Amino acid sequence: FNEDWPASVVENDVRGAIQSGIVSIALSSDTVAGFTMAIPFTDINEEEKEFIQSLEDPPQSFDLNNANRTLYWSDIGISPSFRSQGVAKSISVRLWQEAYEKGYKFITARTAHENSPSVPLLEGMGMVELAKRQLLR
């Protein structure tokens, strides 16, 4: 993301996730400082499920018996003028707290290796890398 976003733009993008998942948004006046969202593992697409289940040693969170207790952390975005100010960690912690309150026991995420700012955040939240996947263009 290369520019700040009006709140109305992000609201349209996250409307579907609000119904089935969890969304955490940081606002500054009428500008979105950042947002993150996660959806139930049972709602992710089949291609993603197949990749996760193909892992050599998948953790118990990917066992289909645990699917209804697993949240897929699908998106995080921080507006450029709010980066490096702790917004990402703050909204991520809120999302994880709400996930716990709603009974989720596991959280999984996927990020592109080119998305270097998100890797320290994910690792700082206790996530570990399970696999690398090549992007096909």
Side-chain angles (χ1 to χ4, degrees):
F1 303 106
N2 297 322
E3 57 187 57
D4 290 343
W5 320 299
S8 60
V9 172
V10 173
E11 179 186 4
N12 291 335
D13 287 346
V14 301
R15 193 172 307 233
I18 292 172
Q19 293 174 7
S20 65
I22 300 171
V23 176
S24 179
I25 299 174
L27 295 173
S28 176
S29 300
D30 61 349
T31 299
V32 175
F35 74 96
T36 187
M37 61 185 171
I39 59 174
F41 182 78
T42 53
D43 290 356
I44 67 172
N45 66 45
E46 289 303 315
E47 178 186 341
E48 192 68 20
K49 284 181 188 175
E50 288 173 14
F51 169 73
I52 291 169
Q53 292 168 347
S54 74
L55 296 174
E56 223 173 271
D57 187 22
Q60 69 180 37
S61 60
F62 299 130
D63 178 340
L64 289 179
N65 294 325
N66 289 320
N68 65 341
R69 299 183 324 158
T70 301
L71 200 61
Y72 180 72
W73 194 5
S74 57
D75 292 286
I76 186 165
I78 306 301
S79 192
S81 59
F82 294 94
R83 292 180 183 159
S84 299
Q85 297 178 36
V87 174
K89 183 156 188 169
S90 175
I91 60 177
S92 297
V93 166
R94 282 197 315 239
L95 183 134
W96 283 44
Q97 287 171 333
E98 189 171 340
Y100 177 78
E101 290 167 6
K102 289 187 172 190
Y104 289 100
K105 302 296 181 202
F106 307 100
I107 296 178
T108 184
R110 180 173 62 109
T111 188
H113 287 280
E114 300 81 28
N115 188 359
S116 58
S118 68
V119 174
L121 172 68
L122 295 171
E123 290 173 346
M125 298 291 291
M127 302 193 94
V128 296
E129 182 179 291
L130 296 176
K132 291 184 180 180
R133 180 161 66 174
Q134 295 293 323
L135 291 177
L136 302 176
R137 295 190 193 272

